[in-house]
Amino acid sequence: AQGVNKHHHSLIISTNNFYKMMKSVIAVALVASASAFVPAAKAPVSTKLNFEYGEYDDKLWDQDSKKDVYNKWDPASPRSTKNFNPFETFKGNSPDASGIYPGENRYKDPMRGDQSYALMLAEKADQEEREANPKAGSEPGCAGCKN
């Protein structure tokens, strides 16, 4: 009978050790699973967009608008959505109101004004005047040009 008690006693000790070990395993598992619900630290995300559309974006993009942008254009400054020649063509296309050409990222079909033969003649006269008197520094390859 004494051998049975001795065996029974060691079984109780083994069972107690087993329960202690299981408690530790469960505690570790609970901590690990709880940490899965804690949001990870993230780098701050800027809500400001780095892209700024041109002055006439979503506005009428007619000859007067283009002349206004042209008059503000500085050929010596880097080309941007606020600094471009609206009359410069690239691969046969004219830019939108932000200086972006068809096929490029962020191109938006501009809101064009009415067109007539009389307006086309006036635009042609404007073009001839610009070509006869180009802005200083507006040679192809200048900082403010696409070409």
Side-chain angles (χ1 to χ4, degrees):
Q2 203 174 26
V4 171
N5 281 341
K6 198 177 199 184
H7 179 63
H8 178 69
H9 181 62
S10 65
L11 182 63
I12 291 172
I13 292 172
S14 295
T15 305
N16 284 341
N17 284 342
F18 176 76
Y19 283 126
K20 283 181 186 176
M21 186 177 73
M22 286 308 291
K23 281 184 185 178
S24 297
V25 168
I26 289 171
V28 168
L30 285 173
V31 168
S33 66
S35 67
F37 296 101
V38 176
K42 293 181 184 176
V45 176
S46 173
T47 56
K48 183 178 185 285
L49 297 176
N50 293 330
F51 187 81
E52 189 176 354
Y53 283 98
E55 180 181 351
Y56 287 93
D57 181 57
D58 291 332
K59 296 179 185 172
L60 184 62
W61 186 235
D62 62 359
Q63 186 71 2
D64 291 334
S65 306
K66 292 176 184 179
K67 285 164 63 172
D68 182 46
V69 170
Y70 180 81
N71 289 333
K72 294 175 184 174
W73 174 53
D74 176 8
S77 294
R79 191 175 192 285
S80 71
T81 59
K82 303 280 186 177
N83 186 57
F84 67 96
N85 178 353
F87 301 107
E88 180 183 28
T89 59
F90 181 69
K91 296 183 180 179
N93 293 306
S94 295
D96 69 6
S98 298
I100 302 168
Y101 292 90
E104 295 179 336
N105 284 339
R106 296 191 174 97
Y107 173 80
K108 293 170 85 176
D109 196 27
M111 293 174 41
R112 292 178 176 87
D114 291 332
Q115 198 59 280
S116 69
Y117 185 69
L119 287 172
M120 290 170 62
L121 289 176
E123 289 175 7
K124 185 175 188 234
D126 288 344
Q127 178 182 356
E128 290 168 353
E129 175 66 25
R130 274 191 312 279
E131 288 172 359
N133 302 299
K135 278 193 171 190
S138 65
E139 300 81 24
C142 71
C145 288
K146 177 78 172 178
N147 296 307

